[in-house]
Amino acid sequence: MDRERDLLADLLKVASCAGESFQRMRARRMAECIAVRLAEEADREESITHESRQRVLGSRRGPSLYGGQAGSAVVFRVAAQAAEAGVPWEQLCRRALSAAAAATREQPLRGIGLAGGSSGLALALTVCAELEPGYSPSLARLSRRLSRQIVDSPPPRGDTGSAISDYDVVSGASGALGALLSLPADGEDHRMAIHALLDYLIWLCSSAPGLENWRISSGSAFPPVLREVFPHGYVDLGLAHGIAGPLAALAMAWMAGYRRPGQRAAMERTVDCLLESCVRDAEGRAWPLGVGLDEHGRRRMTAAPAGRTAWCYGAPGICCALLHASSALEDRALRAVAAESMEAAVRRLGAEARGMSSTLCHGLAGMLSMCQRFARTSDGHRFEHAIDTLIEVLLARCEASLPLMVQDLEADGSTVDCPSLLLGAAGVALALWSVSRPIGTTWERALMIS
């Protein structure tokens, strides 16, 4: 607590100072305060997270990257690099990774996804191994197991559409491919696994109108409210669960030198679908949650629920996928569309920020990280003011009286003290560090934005 008290005192000293350097200092100090609270919470047996979240994030004591010990390891490993001395960050990181490994022995990882599967744990180990080579042997073993898991059981292909969990970023092939591309190349199995996922995503994105491989049946709609909105099924557009995720993964692989037959055409078709599906408001382009299909399986614009201004759904996440695609396709016009649409999303945020969460998935921390991603591009100065504003708003949400300094906001307006990476305080700390310290971008692969 002494360390936290010192940090909070420093925050108060600079709180009224003007200038970017002081603001970034405040962001760094707040990230460290949050990490200190997470370190204290790590020793508690009981979780302060609502149990219902385990269905999405995985068990707090499990190996999940988004909600469990793998995510804790990431934030403690980054803290070891970004925070000042006074807390045994390396020890906390090792303990979290050991707990994640122990959890897999009790319940082996059967899925390949980022949320609670093998690729999420592998990505966490990748972040740790970049800064501490001692993790490399464990990473190599897990990488080989993940590659073999994918080669032996590639995602299924059917003639009645797809399941979101087979292809999406959170649980499916898109997130797994992103993680594989971050791992050290390790032999033929690694290459074969990447090719297997690429071939599946190319198939997903290459069907003809009326025979959409990426279509979701009405009975499988997520969230369930979409079953009435899309009685004949739909195409999900978001980055977390929709076709923007496969586009990002295909583009990342292309830029990494992995290029399969039909890959470029699949990217172009997905870009076309996303651009055809956008709507316009006073600020510019926006995207709904999805596009409905008619009784013949053809896409038609339906009065769909509006997408959030967030990572998971809506313009910001889709813009990041379009930015990846513009690099892979060497398309300057598409790059301009992505940047302009992201600027429109930032303007739109002014009216929506009050009702937004503070976290990565559908909140301000996610917006901050995505603006930072655009700021790293050649014309990124256009996003500097947005970054400064988001830092201020996010810092205003942080309070010393809260158990973890910051809370998540549920759709019904209730608040949740959540330590996780995707929906909790760990992700907020990472976002604040990303704009105030050189912590690298590998952790952003959990969001498929870098």
Side-chain angles (χ1 to χ4, degrees):
M1 291 299 293
D2 289 341
R3 178 65 187 143
E4 179 185 321
R5 190 160 47 244
D6 292 342
L7 290 166
L8 288 171
D10 286 344
L11 277 172
L12 291 173
K13 289 177 183 177
V14 301
S16 61
C17 295
E20 180 181 358
S21 61
F22 286 109
Q23 185 188 56
R24 302 302 168 96
M25 182 188 300
R26 291 173 62 206
R28 175 170 58 84
R29 292 296 196 189
M30 183 56 73
E32 191 167 347
C33 285
I34 293 171
V36 169
R37 292 285 180 93
L38 289 168
E40 294 169 351
E41 195 274 336
D43 291 327
R44 293 174 52 179
E45 288 299 322
E46 73 278 10
S47 172
I48 60 175
T49 306
H50 287 184
E51 292 299 319
S52 63
R53 292 189 166 214
Q54 291 190 12
R55 293 194 299 271
V56 177
L57 300 175
S59 170
R60 173 74 181 98
R61 301 301 172 188
S64 170
L65 173 65
Y66 285 159
Q69 297 286 4
S72 297
V74 169
V75 75
F76 292 145
R77 178 57 262 187
V78 171
Q81 175 190 14
E84 296 183 3
V87 177
W89 299 116
E90 287 282 9
Q91 180 182 345
L92 288 163
C93 177
R94 286 194 298 271
R95 284 171 51 190
L97 286 175
S98 296
T104 65
R105 289 191 290 270
E106 296 174 6
Q107 188 172 0
L109 294 171
R110 292 183 173 84
I112 64 171
L114 289 175
S118 302
S119 65
L121 183 55
L123 184 59
L125 265 173
T126 301
V127 175
C128 295
E130 283 183 341
L131 303 170
E132 175 48 65
Y135 293 113
S136 296
S138 296
L139 175 59
R141 289 191 294 271
L142 180 57
S143 176
R144 287 191 289 270
R145 286 201 296 270
L146 172 60
S147 296
R148 178 47 55 186
Q149 184 181 11
I150 293 168
V151 171
D152 290 345
S153 300
R157 306 184 191 187
D159 56 7
T160 59
S162 299
I164 287 174
S165 59
D166 287 337
Y167 71 79
D168 74 355
V169 166
V170 173
S171 301
S174 299
L177 179 55
L180 269 179
L181 294 170
S182 301
L183 303 181
D186 187 15
E188 183 66 9
D189 281 350
H190 185 265
R191 184 187 65 83
M192 289 175 61
I194 289 177
H195 285 180
L197 293 179
L198 277 174
D199 290 344
Y200 167 73
L201 292 176
I202 292 167
W203 166 83
L204 182 84
C205 301
S206 300
S207 52
L211 296 171
E212 306 275 14
N213 289 334
W214 54 32
R215 70 190 183 278
I216 307 300
S217 69
S218 178
S220 301
F222 178 81
V225 68
L226 296 182
R227 294 172 187 174
E228 295 182 6
V229 178
F230 301 129
H232 302 294
Y234 70 108
V235 178
D236 192 302
L237 301 178
L239 180 57
H241 299 298
I243 63 171
L247 176 62
L250 289 170
M252 288 176 181
W254 185 276
M255 295 300 292
Y258 293 95
R259 302 180 181 185
R260 301 287 285 170
Q263 187 173 344
R264 184 182 183 90
M267 287 189 286
E268 291 172 339
R269 181 168 184 269
T270 309
V271 167
D272 288 344
C273 179
L274 287 169
L275 295 183
E276 291 165 1
S277 302
C278 74
V279 295
R280 288 183 178 272
D281 61 15
E283 303 299 346
R285 293 181 190 84
W287 278 267
L289 294 176
V291 177
L293 304 175
D294 63 20
E295 62 271 23
H296 304 294
R298 295 183 178 87
R299 275 183 275 126
R300 62 188 179 91
M301 292 304 290
T302 308
R308 291 167 158 151
T309 302
W311 169 76
C312 54
Y313 281 102
I318 291 172
C319 289
C320 286
L322 293 176
L323 185 64
H324 285 307
S326 71
S327 296
L329 299 172
E330 298 180 342
D331 188 334
R332 295 178 64 182
L334 181 60
R335 182 190 185 93
V337 167
E340 291 165 5
S341 301
M342 187 66 182
E343 285 184 299
V346 170
R347 292 192 297 270
R348 195 176 294 116
L349 184 66
E352 299 179 8
R354 182 180 297 274
M356 287 182 68
S357 167
S358 300
T359 56
L360 286 177
C361 180
H362 46 267
L364 299 171
M367 282 295 295
L368 179 59
S369 296
M370 289 183 288
C371 284
Q372 178 72 357
R373 170 67 182 90
F374 273 86
R376 292 196 294 266
T377 63
S378 59
D379 54 354
H381 63 277
R382 298 156 65 179
F383 294 91
E384 288 301 322
H385 178 69
I387 290 172
D388 292 342
T389 301
L390 283 164
I391 291 173
E392 285 296 330
V393 175
L394 195 51
L395 289 177
R397 296 281 189 89
C398 298
E399 300 179 14
S401 61
L402 299 174
L404 298 174
M405 304 294 294
V406 66
Q407 295 177 315
D408 189 18
L409 182 67
E410 294 282 1
D412 62 3
S414 61
T415 55
V416 183
D417 298 296
C418 180
S420 75
L421 187 150
L422 188 65
L423 293 177
V428 176
L430 289 171
L432 289 173
W433 268 321
S434 75
V435 296
S436 60
R437 299 286 276 185
I439 64 170
T441 61
T442 302
W443 77 269
E444 294 176 353
R445 192 56 61 92
L447 304 177
M448 295 292 282
I449 64 174
S450 185

